[in-house]
Amino acid sequence: MYRIGELAKQCDVKADTLRFYEKHGLLAPSTRSESGYRLYNQDDVARLRFILRAKAVGFTLNEITELLSIELDKANWACADVKGMVDNKLEQVQIKIAELTQFANSLQHLSNACCGGPDSAEHCSILEALESEDKQLHARNETAHKAQHVKHTKTVKAALT
Amino acid sequence: MYRIGELAKQCDVKADTLRFYEKHGLLAPSTRSESGYRLYNQDDVARLRFILRAKAVGFTLNEITELLSIELDKANWACADVKGMVDNKLEQVQIKIAELTQFANSLQHLSNACCGGPDSAEHCSILEALESEDKQLHARNETAHKAQHVKHTKTVKAALT
DNA sequence: CTTGACCTTAGATTAAACTCTAAGGTTTAT
DNA sequence: ATAAACCTTAGAGTTTAATCTAAGGTCAAG
């Protein structure tokens, strides 16, 4: 059993935030001490961890509430509802992973191409690299696209797939 | 050359947002018409796309500004600075990908385990599945961990790795 | 020649997710 | 017994990223 401050420290949030989550129905301590102190058990900790992970991953508190709300009256949800909802979130997450992966690729290519030395970055522009990205994507995707007189940098050519 | 409304429509943002980005130094149209209309060229479009992608991926406008700012006075940045910064962002992105992937796994397992039928979800709780996740992770990571008297659901056992 | 799209500045409003303050009281650890 | 941690309600303030409103214009297409 953890008191609010302990849990806060353990999960690196403010006690305020925990009270905030309680007020908004995301996380209530499973018990209170005689004196009224909030007491959180392991399940509560796990629930908080879930909330924090979901948040880190880009879900809003509302969306998280939605996911968690099923718990509140399980009996009134059909299994199909639950599955639908989960699949929905799953799709969102997968889209995000794809976006992030693309982004990571660009950054990686750029990092590889960048000499990293003490010289001026004049010929090592992140922006040009990233700007060209779209064009290159288009070039790959639209097989019959107009020549767009794209301006390349030496670096860029090396930096991007 | 696109005018503000055209660009807005094309990239699914409001014209307001574009003016907002301009005011905050993220994206200025490369030219203006004689009459003062903002005129955006392909590079501007690409830059906007980059901004939107970065945003979708969880970067704040400030962080994006930081990335783009290198462009503004390239000459004053050493290549090492640029590389350092890129590698930094890259690390952040990779952490996010890892988090998302874990999250996606949980959701996927749950979806697989859920019958998806019209019956009550009483025995198919997202929450219990996700709550157990942490414990299971701990169980895998801490080779010498105390037995924690973990409460499982039938569903959960099947749902999680 | 009249809409609708655009321009300007400047400030108000919104939403999310906290974060803080006040004011007064109780509990726990040293 | 004193300080630090907790409790309560209730409301104010903060940050981010817009979004909206006003007021007074200019521009371009049908």
PDB file of all heavy atoms in Angstrom, chain A residues 43 47 49 53 71 77 79-80 83 87 111 117 119 121 125 127 133-135, chain B residues 43 47 49 53 71 77 79-80 83 87 111 115 117 119 121 125 127 133-135:
ATOM      1  N   ASP A  43      -2.568  -3.131  -7.882  1.00  0.00           N
ATOM      2  CA  ASP A  43      -3.426  -2.964  -9.052  1.00  0.00           C
ATOM      3  C   ASP A  43      -3.533  -1.498  -9.453  1.00  0.00           C
ATOM      4  O   ASP A  43      -3.557  -1.159 -10.639  1.00  0.00           O
ATOM      5  CB  ASP A  43      -4.831  -3.508  -8.764  1.00  0.00           C
ATOM      6  CG  ASP A  43      -4.884  -5.022  -8.906  1.00  0.00           C
ATOM      7  OD1 ASP A  43      -3.845  -5.623  -9.267  1.00  0.00           O
ATOM      8  OD2 ASP A  43      -5.950  -5.603  -8.658  1.00  0.00           O
ATOM      9  N   ARG A  47      -2.518   0.167 -12.887  1.00  0.00           N
ATOM     10  CA  ARG A  47      -3.449   1.007 -13.640  1.00  0.00           C
ATOM     11  C   ARG A  47      -2.812   2.346 -13.970  1.00  0.00           C
ATOM     12  O   ARG A  47      -2.915   2.838 -15.093  1.00  0.00           O
ATOM     13  CB  ARG A  47      -4.732   1.202 -12.812  1.00  0.00           C
ATOM     14  CG  ARG A  47      -5.849   1.896 -13.570  1.00  0.00           C
ATOM     15  CD  ARG A  47      -7.107   1.987 -12.705  1.00  0.00           C
ATOM     16  NE  ARG A  47      -8.121   2.804 -13.324  1.00  0.00           N
ATOM     17  CZ  ARG A  47      -9.298   2.348 -13.772  1.00  0.00           C
ATOM     18  NH1 ARG A  47      -9.584   1.073 -13.658  1.00  0.00           N
ATOM     19  NH2 ARG A  47     -10.163   3.162 -14.315  1.00  0.00           N
ATOM     20  N   ARG A  49       0.371   2.962 -14.239  1.00  0.00           N
ATOM     21  CA  ARG A  49       1.404   2.698 -15.257  1.00  0.00           C
ATOM     22  C   ARG A  49       0.770   2.609 -16.636  1.00  0.00           C
ATOM     23  O   ARG A  49       1.310   3.118 -17.611  1.00  0.00           O
ATOM     24  CB  ARG A  49       2.106   1.369 -14.959  1.00  0.00           C
ATOM     25  CG  ARG A  49       3.016   1.411 -13.776  1.00  0.00           C
ATOM     26  CD  ARG A  49       4.482   1.253 -14.187  1.00  0.00           C
ATOM     27  NE  ARG A  49       5.343   1.378 -13.019  1.00  0.00           N
ATOM     28  CZ  ARG A  49       5.506   0.424 -12.119  1.00  0.00           C
ATOM     29  NH1 ARG A  49       4.895  -0.747 -12.264  1.00  0.00           N
ATOM     30  NH2 ARG A  49       6.288   0.618 -11.088  1.00  0.00           N
ATOM     31  N   ARG A  53       1.600   5.016 -19.697  1.00  0.00           N
ATOM     32  CA  ARG A  53       2.106   4.461 -20.944  1.00  0.00           C
ATOM     33  C   ARG A  53       1.222   4.903 -22.114  1.00  0.00           C
ATOM     34  O   ARG A  53       1.706   5.316 -23.159  1.00  0.00           O
ATOM     35  CB  ARG A  53       2.167   2.935 -20.849  1.00  0.00           C
ATOM     36  CG  ARG A  53       3.072   2.315 -21.856  1.00  0.00           C
ATOM     37  CD  ARG A  53       3.965   1.203 -21.282  1.00  0.00           C
ATOM     38  NE  ARG A  53       3.394   0.566 -20.115  1.00  0.00           N
ATOM     39  CZ  ARG A  53       2.485  -0.393 -20.140  1.00  0.00           C
ATOM     40  NH1 ARG A  53       2.049  -0.838 -21.297  1.00  0.00           N
ATOM     41  NH2 ARG A  53       2.049  -0.917 -19.020  1.00  0.00           N
ATOM     42  N   GLU A  71     -14.253  -1.329 -18.034  1.00  0.00           N
ATOM     43  CA  GLU A  71     -14.128  -2.023 -16.760  1.00  0.00           C
ATOM     44  C   GLU A  71     -15.295  -1.710 -15.825  1.00  0.00           C
ATOM     45  O   GLU A  71     -15.791  -2.582 -15.126  1.00  0.00           O
ATOM     46  CB  GLU A  71     -12.814  -1.599 -16.093  1.00  0.00           C
ATOM     47  CG  GLU A  71     -12.532  -2.249 -14.765  1.00  0.00           C
ATOM     48  CD  GLU A  71     -12.306  -3.738 -14.876  1.00  0.00           C
ATOM     49  OE1 GLU A  71     -12.209  -4.231 -16.020  1.00  0.00           O
ATOM     50  OE2 GLU A  71     -12.243  -4.393 -13.839  1.00  0.00           O
ATOM     51  N   TRP A  77     -21.298  -4.262 -21.734  1.00  0.00           N
ATOM     52  CA  TRP A  77     -20.595  -4.219 -22.999  1.00  0.00           C
ATOM     53  C   TRP A  77     -20.604  -5.613 -23.610  1.00  0.00           C
ATOM     54  O   TRP A  77     -20.338  -6.597 -22.931  1.00  0.00           O
ATOM     55  CB  TRP A  77     -19.147  -3.788 -22.812  1.00  0.00           C
ATOM     56  CG  TRP A  77     -18.987  -2.358 -22.430  1.00  0.00           C
ATOM     57  CD1 TRP A  77     -19.085  -1.827 -21.186  1.00  0.00           C
ATOM     58  CD2 TRP A  77     -18.691  -1.277 -23.303  1.00  0.00           C
ATOM     59  NE1 TRP A  77     -18.868  -0.463 -21.229  1.00  0.00           N
ATOM     60  CE2 TRP A  77     -18.621  -0.100 -22.517  1.00  0.00           C
ATOM     61  CE3 TRP A  77     -18.474  -1.170 -24.691  1.00  0.00           C
ATOM     62  CZ2 TRP A  77     -18.350   1.153 -23.061  1.00  0.00           C
ATOM     63  CZ3 TRP A  77     -18.200   0.072 -25.220  1.00  0.00           C
ATOM     64  CH2 TRP A  77     -18.145   1.222 -24.407  1.00  0.00           C
ATOM     65  N   CYS A  79     -18.886  -8.354 -25.986  1.00  0.00           N
ATOM     66  CA  CYS A  79     -17.504  -8.684 -26.309  1.00  0.00           C
ATOM     67  C   CYS A  79     -17.124  -8.042 -27.652  1.00  0.00           C
ATOM     68  O   CYS A  79     -15.999  -7.594 -27.843  1.00  0.00           O
ATOM     69  CB  CYS A  79     -17.357 -10.195 -26.375  1.00  0.00           C
ATOM     70  SG  CYS A  79     -15.773 -10.763 -25.780  1.00  0.00           S
ATOM     71  N   ALA A  80     -18.084  -7.973 -28.543  1.00  0.00           N
ATOM     72  CA  ALA A  80     -17.836  -7.389 -29.857  1.00  0.00           C
ATOM     73  C   ALA A  80     -17.480  -5.903 -29.741  1.00  0.00           C
ATOM     74  O   ALA A  80     -16.611  -5.402 -30.459  1.00  0.00           O
ATOM     75  CB  ALA A  80     -19.060  -7.566 -30.754  1.00  0.00           C
ATOM     76  N   LYS A  83     -13.937  -5.670 -28.528  1.00  0.00           N
ATOM     77  CA  LYS A  83     -12.989  -6.025 -29.581  1.00  0.00           C
ATOM     78  C   LYS A  83     -12.888  -4.896 -30.615  1.00  0.00           C
ATOM     79  O   LYS A  83     -11.798  -4.535 -31.051  1.00  0.00           O
ATOM     80  CB  LYS A  83     -13.415  -7.325 -30.265  1.00  0.00           C
ATOM     81  CG  LYS A  83     -12.296  -7.965 -31.085  1.00  0.00           C
ATOM     82  CD  LYS A  83     -12.814  -9.203 -31.816  1.00  0.00           C
ATOM     83  CE  LYS A  83     -11.802  -9.769 -32.787  1.00  0.00           C
ATOM     84  NZ  LYS A  83     -10.660 -10.399 -32.131  1.00  0.00           N
ATOM     85  N   ASP A  87      -9.517  -2.927 -31.491  1.00  0.00           N
ATOM     86  CA  ASP A  87      -8.983  -2.958 -32.854  1.00  0.00           C
ATOM     87  C   ASP A  87      -8.814  -1.550 -33.405  1.00  0.00           C
ATOM     88  O   ASP A  87      -7.877  -1.253 -34.143  1.00  0.00           O
ATOM     89  CB  ASP A  87      -9.904  -3.784 -33.759  1.00  0.00           C
ATOM     90  CG  ASP A  87      -9.771  -5.271 -33.483  1.00  0.00           C
ATOM     91  OD1 ASP A  87      -8.818  -5.646 -32.766  1.00  0.00           O
ATOM     92  OD2 ASP A  87     -10.609  -6.053 -33.957  1.00  0.00           O
ATOM     93  N   SER A 111      21.746  11.555 -40.210  1.00  0.00           N
ATOM     94  CA  SER A 111      22.836  11.389 -39.249  1.00  0.00           C
ATOM     95  C   SER A 111      24.009  10.669 -39.902  1.00  0.00           C
ATOM     96  O   SER A 111      25.166  11.045 -39.737  1.00  0.00           O
ATOM     97  CB  SER A 111      22.340  10.617 -38.044  1.00  0.00           C
ATOM     98  OG  SER A 111      23.413  10.317 -37.187  1.00  0.00           O
ATOM     99  N   GLY A 117      31.757  16.606 -38.024  1.00  0.00           N
ATOM    100  CA  GLY A 117      32.991  17.301 -37.678  1.00  0.00           C
ATOM    101  C   GLY A 117      32.760  18.731 -37.233  1.00  0.00           C
ATOM    102  O   GLY A 117      31.621  19.166 -37.105  1.00  0.00           O
ATOM    103  N   ASP A 119      33.328  21.442 -38.794  1.00  0.00           N
ATOM    104  CA  ASP A 119      33.114  22.414 -39.868  1.00  0.00           C
ATOM    105  C   ASP A 119      31.693  22.947 -39.887  1.00  0.00           C
ATOM    106  O   ASP A 119      30.794  22.364 -39.293  1.00  0.00           O
ATOM    107  CB  ASP A 119      33.422  21.778 -41.232  1.00  0.00           C
ATOM    108  CG  ASP A 119      34.908  21.458 -41.359  1.00  0.00           C
ATOM    109  OD1 ASP A 119      35.689  21.986 -40.543  1.00  0.00           O
ATOM    110  OD2 ASP A 119      35.257  20.655 -42.246  1.00  0.00           O
ATOM    111  N   ALA A 121      28.013  23.744 -40.977  1.00  0.00           N
ATOM    112  CA  ALA A 121      27.004  22.804 -41.462  1.00  0.00           C
ATOM    113  C   ALA A 121      26.387  23.277 -42.765  1.00  0.00           C
ATOM    114  O   ALA A 121      25.343  22.811 -43.179  1.00  0.00           O
ATOM    115  CB  ALA A 121      25.931  22.626 -40.410  1.00  0.00           C
ATOM    116  N   SER A 125      22.384  20.213 -44.521  1.00  0.00           N
ATOM    117  CA  SER A 125      21.150  20.791 -44.030  1.00  0.00           C
ATOM    118  C   SER A 125      20.068  19.767 -43.745  1.00  0.00           C
ATOM    119  O   SER A 125      19.642  19.021 -44.609  1.00  0.00           O
ATOM    120  CB  SER A 125      20.631  21.797 -45.047  1.00  0.00           C
ATOM    121  OG  SER A 125      19.260  21.971 -44.860  1.00  0.00           O
ATOM    122  N   LEU A 127      17.113  20.487 -43.082  1.00  0.00           N
ATOM    123  CA  LEU A 127      15.898  20.908 -43.743  1.00  0.00           C
ATOM    124  C   LEU A 127      15.824  20.403 -45.167  1.00  0.00           C
ATOM    125  O   LEU A 127      14.816  19.828 -45.582  1.00  0.00           O
ATOM    126  CB  LEU A 127      15.804  22.428 -43.735  1.00  0.00           C
ATOM    127  CG  LEU A 127      14.454  22.908 -44.218  1.00  0.00           C
ATOM    128  CD1 LEU A 127      13.355  22.322 -43.370  1.00  0.00           C
ATOM    129  CD2 LEU A 127      14.398  24.402 -44.215  1.00  0.00           C
ATOM    130  N   GLU A 133      12.477  14.635 -48.783  1.00  0.00           N
ATOM    131  CA  GLU A 133      11.822  13.379 -48.403  1.00  0.00           C
ATOM    132  C   GLU A 133      10.481  13.183 -49.083  1.00  0.00           C
ATOM    133  O   GLU A 133      10.218  12.164 -49.695  1.00  0.00           O
ATOM    134  CB  GLU A 133      11.593  13.438 -46.903  1.00  0.00           C
ATOM    135  CG  GLU A 133      11.577  12.142 -46.195  1.00  0.00           C
ATOM    136  CD  GLU A 133      11.242  12.454 -44.756  1.00  0.00           C
ATOM    137  OE1 GLU A 133      11.807  13.419 -44.210  1.00  0.00           O
ATOM    138  OE2 GLU A 133      10.402  11.741 -44.207  1.00  0.00           O
ATOM    139  N   ASP A 134       9.662  14.205 -48.976  1.00  0.00           N
ATOM    140  CA  ASP A 134       8.331  14.136 -49.576  1.00  0.00           C
ATOM    141  C   ASP A 134       8.422  13.883 -51.067  1.00  0.00           C
ATOM    142  O   ASP A 134       7.736  13.043 -51.608  1.00  0.00           O
ATOM    143  CB  ASP A 134       7.593  15.454 -49.367  1.00  0.00           C
ATOM    144  CG  ASP A 134       6.877  15.468 -48.044  1.00  0.00           C
ATOM    145  OD1 ASP A 134       6.433  14.395 -47.612  1.00  0.00           O
ATOM    146  OD2 ASP A 134       6.771  16.533 -47.452  1.00  0.00           O
ATOM    147  N   LYS A 135       9.296  14.679 -51.671  1.00  0.00           N
ATOM    148  CA  LYS A 135       9.428  14.560 -53.116  1.00  0.00           C
ATOM    149  C   LYS A 135       9.840  13.154 -53.491  1.00  0.00           C
ATOM    150  O   LYS A 135       9.336  12.572 -54.444  1.00  0.00           O
ATOM    151  CB  LYS A 135      10.454  15.582 -53.605  1.00  0.00           C
ATOM    152  CG  LYS A 135       9.983  17.012 -53.387  1.00  0.00           C
ATOM    153  CD  LYS A 135      11.091  18.003 -53.623  1.00  0.00           C
ATOM    154  CE  LYS A 135      10.646  19.387 -53.153  1.00  0.00           C
ATOM    155  NZ  LYS A 135      11.776  20.290 -53.026  1.00  0.00           N
TER     156      LYS A 135
ATOM    157  N   ASP B  43       8.681  24.119 -52.066  1.00  0.00           N
ATOM    158  CA  ASP B  43       9.530  23.964 -50.887  1.00  0.00           C
ATOM    159  C   ASP B  43       8.747  24.282 -49.613  1.00  0.00           C
ATOM    160  O   ASP B  43       8.914  23.634 -48.582  1.00  0.00           O
ATOM    161  CB  ASP B  43      10.744  24.901 -50.975  1.00  0.00           C
ATOM    162  CG  ASP B  43      11.833  24.311 -51.863  1.00  0.00           C
ATOM    163  OD1 ASP B  43      11.643  23.181 -52.362  1.00  0.00           O
ATOM    164  OD2 ASP B  43      12.857  24.982 -52.061  1.00  0.00           O
ATOM    165  N   ARG B  47       8.020  21.897 -46.541  1.00  0.00           N
ATOM    166  CA  ARG B  47       8.338  22.307 -45.173  1.00  0.00           C
ATOM    167  C   ARG B  47       7.120  22.125 -44.271  1.00  0.00           C
ATOM    168  O   ARG B  47       7.219  21.618 -43.162  1.00  0.00           O
ATOM    169  CB  ARG B  47       8.803  23.761 -45.173  1.00  0.00           C
ATOM    170  CG  ARG B  47       9.342  24.236 -43.841  1.00  0.00           C
ATOM    171  CD  ARG B  47       9.852  25.668 -43.949  1.00  0.00           C
ATOM    172  NE  ARG B  47      10.201  26.221 -42.657  1.00  0.00           N
ATOM    173  CZ  ARG B  47      11.436  26.552 -42.285  1.00  0.00           C
ATOM    174  NH1 ARG B  47      12.430  26.384 -43.099  1.00  0.00           N
ATOM    175  NH2 ARG B  47      11.664  27.055 -41.086  1.00  0.00           N
ATOM    176  N   ARG B  49       4.669  20.048 -44.763  1.00  0.00           N
ATOM    177  CA  ARG B  49       4.476  18.603 -44.595  1.00  0.00           C
ATOM    178  C   ARG B  49       5.387  18.073 -43.501  1.00  0.00           C
ATOM    179  O   ARG B  49       4.989  17.240 -42.696  1.00  0.00           O
ATOM    180  CB  ARG B  49       4.797  17.869 -45.906  1.00  0.00           C
ATOM    181  CG  ARG B  49       3.769  18.059 -46.979  1.00  0.00           C
ATOM    182  CD  ARG B  49       3.040  16.743 -47.303  1.00  0.00           C
ATOM    183  NE  ARG B  49       1.994  17.001 -48.286  1.00  0.00           N
ATOM    184  CZ  ARG B  49       2.242  17.181 -49.593  1.00  0.00           C
ATOM    185  NH1 ARG B  49       3.467  17.092 -50.066  1.00  0.00           N
ATOM    186  NH2 ARG B  49       1.246  17.426 -50.417  1.00  0.00           N
ATOM    187  N   ARG B  53       4.195  16.321 -40.139  1.00  0.00           N
ATOM    188  CA  ARG B  53       4.631  14.959 -39.826  1.00  0.00           C
ATOM    189  C   ARG B  53       5.298  14.924 -38.444  1.00  0.00           C
ATOM    190  O   ARG B  53       5.030  14.054 -37.624  1.00  0.00           O
ATOM    191  CB  ARG B  53       5.575  14.439 -40.909  1.00  0.00           C
ATOM    192  CG  ARG B  53       5.725  12.962 -40.926  1.00  0.00           C
ATOM    193  CD  ARG B  53       5.694  12.356 -42.342  1.00  0.00           C
ATOM    194  NE  ARG B  53       6.109  13.297 -43.363  1.00  0.00           N
ATOM    195  CZ  ARG B  53       7.373  13.564 -43.689  1.00  0.00           C
ATOM    196  NH1 ARG B  53       8.343  12.935 -43.085  1.00  0.00           N
ATOM    197  NH2 ARG B  53       7.639  14.436 -44.629  1.00  0.00           N
ATOM    198  N   GLU B  71      18.532  25.643 -40.245  1.00  0.00           N
ATOM    199  CA  GLU B  71      18.491  26.172 -41.594  1.00  0.00           C
ATOM    200  C   GLU B  71      18.755  27.676 -41.634  1.00  0.00           C
ATOM    201  O   GLU B  71      19.433  28.170 -42.523  1.00  0.00           O
ATOM    202  CB  GLU B  71      17.113  25.877 -42.201  1.00  0.00           C
ATOM    203  CG  GLU B  71      16.938  26.347 -43.616  1.00  0.00           C
ATOM    204  CD  GLU B  71      17.816  25.606 -44.609  1.00  0.00           C
ATOM    205  OE1 GLU B  71      18.470  24.632 -44.206  1.00  0.00           O
ATOM    206  OE2 GLU B  71      17.866  26.026 -45.771  1.00  0.00           O
ATOM    207  N   TRP B  77      26.438  26.921 -37.382  1.00  0.00           N
ATOM    208  CA  TRP B  77      26.372  25.633 -36.709  1.00  0.00           C
ATOM    209  C   TRP B  77      27.504  24.753 -37.213  1.00  0.00           C
ATOM    210  O   TRP B  77      27.752  24.689 -38.412  1.00  0.00           O
ATOM    211  CB  TRP B  77      25.057  24.930 -37.029  1.00  0.00           C
ATOM    212  CG  TRP B  77      23.862  25.567 -36.399  1.00  0.00           C
ATOM    213  CD1 TRP B  77      23.163  26.627 -36.865  1.00  0.00           C
ATOM    214  CD2 TRP B  77      23.214  25.171 -35.189  1.00  0.00           C
ATOM    215  NE1 TRP B  77      22.112  26.923 -36.032  1.00  0.00           N
ATOM    216  CE2 TRP B  77      22.127  26.047 -35.001  1.00  0.00           C
ATOM    217  CE3 TRP B  77      23.452  24.174 -34.253  1.00  0.00           C
ATOM    218  CZ2 TRP B  77      21.275  25.946 -33.898  1.00  0.00           C
ATOM    219  CZ3 TRP B  77      22.604  24.063 -33.159  1.00  0.00           C
ATOM    220  CH2 TRP B  77      21.538  24.954 -32.986  1.00  0.00           C
ATOM    221  N   CYS B  79      28.926  21.095 -37.989  1.00  0.00           N
ATOM    222  CA  CYS B  79      28.328  19.854 -38.434  1.00  0.00           C
ATOM    223  C   CYS B  79      28.074  18.940 -37.234  1.00  0.00           C
ATOM    224  O   CYS B  79      27.084  18.236 -37.170  1.00  0.00           O
ATOM    225  CB  CYS B  79      29.258  19.189 -39.447  1.00  0.00           C
ATOM    226  SG  CYS B  79      28.374  18.339 -40.747  1.00  0.00           S
ATOM    227  N   ALA B  80      28.972  19.005 -36.274  1.00  0.00           N
ATOM    228  CA  ALA B  80      28.851  18.176 -35.072  1.00  0.00           C
ATOM    229  C   ALA B  80      27.588  18.535 -34.286  1.00  0.00           C
ATOM    230  O   ALA B  80      26.903  17.658 -33.752  1.00  0.00           O
ATOM    231  CB  ALA B  80      30.082  18.340 -34.195  1.00  0.00           C
ATOM    232  N   LYS B  83      24.655  17.045 -36.115  1.00  0.00           N
ATOM    233  CA  LYS B  83      24.593  15.602 -35.936  1.00  0.00           C
ATOM    234  C   LYS B  83      24.114  15.257 -34.528  1.00  0.00           C
ATOM    235  O   LYS B  83      23.291  14.372 -34.333  1.00  0.00           O
ATOM    236  CB  LYS B  83      25.963  14.977 -36.195  1.00  0.00           C
ATOM    237  CG  LYS B  83      25.918  13.463 -36.412  1.00  0.00           C
ATOM    238  CD  LYS B  83      27.325  12.892 -36.592  1.00  0.00           C
ATOM    239  CE  LYS B  83      27.333  11.389 -36.641  1.00  0.00           C
ATOM    240  NZ  LYS B  83      26.713  10.845 -37.850  1.00  0.00           N
ATOM    241  N   ASP B  87      20.823  13.138 -33.746  1.00  0.00           N
ATOM    242  CA  ASP B  87      20.924  11.874 -33.017  1.00  0.00           C
ATOM    243  C   ASP B  87      20.055  11.896 -31.767  1.00  0.00           C
ATOM    244  O   ASP B  87      19.476  10.892 -31.370  1.00  0.00           O
ATOM    245  CB  ASP B  87      22.382  11.598 -32.658  1.00  0.00           C
ATOM    246  CG  ASP B  87      23.181  11.164 -33.873  1.00  0.00           C
ATOM    247  OD1 ASP B  87      22.554  10.877 -34.915  1.00  0.00           O
ATOM    248  OD2 ASP B  87      24.426  11.129 -33.804  1.00  0.00           O
ATOM    249  N   SER B 111      -6.983  -8.377 -28.480  1.00  0.00           N
ATOM    250  CA  SER B 111      -7.918  -8.529 -29.586  1.00  0.00           C
ATOM    251  C   SER B 111      -8.009  -9.987 -30.017  1.00  0.00           C
ATOM    252  O   SER B 111      -9.093 -10.515 -30.259  1.00  0.00           O
ATOM    253  CB  SER B 111      -7.474  -7.661 -30.760  1.00  0.00           C
ATOM    254  OG  SER B 111      -8.271  -7.916 -31.891  1.00  0.00           O
ATOM    255  N   CYS B 115     -13.340 -12.944 -27.874  1.00  0.00           N
ATOM    256  CA  CYS B 115     -14.183 -13.712 -28.779  1.00  0.00           C
ATOM    257  C   CYS B 115     -14.841 -12.817 -29.821  1.00  0.00           C
ATOM    258  O   CYS B 115     -15.088 -13.216 -30.949  1.00  0.00           O
ATOM    259  CB  CYS B 115     -15.256 -14.461 -27.994  1.00  0.00           C
ATOM    260  SG  CYS B 115     -16.458 -13.359 -27.219  1.00  0.00           S
ATOM    261  N   GLY B 117     -17.765 -11.793 -29.865  1.00  0.00           N
ATOM    262  CA  GLY B 117     -19.174 -12.149 -30.045  1.00  0.00           C
ATOM    263  C   GLY B 117     -20.110 -11.198 -29.329  1.00  0.00           C
ATOM    264  O   GLY B 117     -19.686 -10.200 -28.755  1.00  0.00           O
ATOM    265  N   ASP B 119     -21.799 -11.666 -26.685  1.00  0.00           N
ATOM    266  CA  ASP B 119     -21.966 -11.904 -25.254  1.00  0.00           C
ATOM    267  C   ASP B 119     -21.357 -10.777 -24.417  1.00  0.00           C
ATOM    268  O   ASP B 119     -20.567  -9.991 -24.907  1.00  0.00           O
ATOM    269  CB  ASP B 119     -21.301 -13.224 -24.857  1.00  0.00           C
ATOM    270  CG  ASP B 119     -22.039 -14.405 -25.475  1.00  0.00           C
ATOM    271  OD1 ASP B 119     -23.182 -14.209 -25.919  1.00  0.00           O
ATOM    272  OD2 ASP B 119     -21.449 -15.494 -25.518  1.00  0.00           O
ATOM    273  N   ALA B 121     -19.070  -8.762 -21.927  1.00  0.00           N
ATOM    274  CA  ALA B 121     -17.611  -8.754 -21.883  1.00  0.00           C
ATOM    275  C   ALA B 121     -17.084  -9.060 -20.485  1.00  0.00           C
ATOM    276  O   ALA B 121     -15.937  -8.815 -20.171  1.00  0.00           O
ATOM    277  CB  ALA B 121     -17.104  -7.399 -22.355  1.00  0.00           C
ATOM    278  N   SER B 125     -11.839  -8.602 -20.022  1.00  0.00           N
ATOM    279  CA  SER B 125     -11.565  -7.255 -19.570  1.00  0.00           C
ATOM    280  C   SER B 125     -10.245  -6.704 -20.101  1.00  0.00           C
ATOM    281  O   SER B 125      -9.181  -7.233 -19.854  1.00  0.00           O
ATOM    282  CB  SER B 125     -11.544  -7.225 -18.051  1.00  0.00           C
ATOM    283  OG  SER B 125     -10.783  -6.148 -17.609  1.00  0.00           O
ATOM    284  N   LEU B 127      -8.976  -4.056 -19.137  1.00  0.00           N
ATOM    285  CA  LEU B 127      -8.237  -3.525 -18.015  1.00  0.00           C
ATOM    286  C   LEU B 127      -7.386  -4.568 -17.339  1.00  0.00           C
ATOM    287  O   LEU B 127      -6.208  -4.382 -17.093  1.00  0.00           O
ATOM    288  CB  LEU B 127      -9.199  -2.913 -17.010  1.00  0.00           C
ATOM    289  CG  LEU B 127      -8.451  -2.168 -15.918  1.00  0.00           C
ATOM    290  CD1 LEU B 127      -7.588  -1.078 -16.504  1.00  0.00           C
ATOM    291  CD2 LEU B 127      -9.398  -1.608 -14.905  1.00  0.00           C
ATOM    292  N   GLU B 133      -0.098  -6.683 -17.561  1.00  0.00           N
ATOM    293  CA  GLU B 133       1.048  -6.454 -18.430  1.00  0.00           C
ATOM    294  C   GLU B 133       2.316  -6.104 -17.662  1.00  0.00           C
ATOM    295  O   GLU B 133       3.355  -6.715 -17.854  1.00  0.00           O
ATOM    296  CB  GLU B 133       0.670  -5.276 -19.321  1.00  0.00           C
ATOM    297  CG  GLU B 133       1.306  -5.247 -20.653  1.00  0.00           C
ATOM    298  CD  GLU B 133       0.882  -3.959 -21.321  1.00  0.00           C
ATOM    299  OE1 GLU B 133      -0.323  -3.618 -21.237  1.00  0.00           O
ATOM    300  OE2 GLU B 133       1.747  -3.299 -21.861  1.00  0.00           O
ATOM    301  N   ASP B 134       2.164  -5.107 -16.809  1.00  0.00           N
ATOM    302  CA  ASP B 134       3.317  -4.673 -16.033  1.00  0.00           C
ATOM    303  C   ASP B 134       3.902  -5.811 -15.225  1.00  0.00           C
ATOM    304  O   ASP B 134       5.090  -6.025 -15.193  1.00  0.00           O
ATOM    305  CB  ASP B 134       2.890  -3.574 -15.041  1.00  0.00           C
ATOM    306  CG  ASP B 134       2.944  -2.199 -15.694  1.00  0.00           C
ATOM    307  OD1 ASP B 134       3.801  -2.016 -16.568  1.00  0.00           O
ATOM    308  OD2 ASP B 134       2.129  -1.372 -15.327  1.00  0.00           O
ATOM    309  N   LYS B 135       2.989  -6.506 -14.585  1.00  0.00           N
ATOM    310  CA  LYS B 135       3.450  -7.583 -13.727  1.00  0.00           C
ATOM    311  C   LYS B 135       4.207  -8.613 -14.549  1.00  0.00           C
ATOM    312  O   LYS B 135       5.233  -9.121 -14.140  1.00  0.00           O
ATOM    313  CB  LYS B 135       2.255  -8.233 -13.033  1.00  0.00           C
ATOM    314  CG  LYS B 135       1.569  -7.258 -12.080  1.00  0.00           C
ATOM    315  CD  LYS B 135       0.258  -7.807 -11.570  1.00  0.00           C
ATOM    316  CE  LYS B 135      -0.501  -6.711 -10.826  1.00  0.00           C
ATOM    317  NZ  LYS B 135      -1.908  -7.057 -10.649  1.00  0.00           N
TER     318      LYS B 135
END
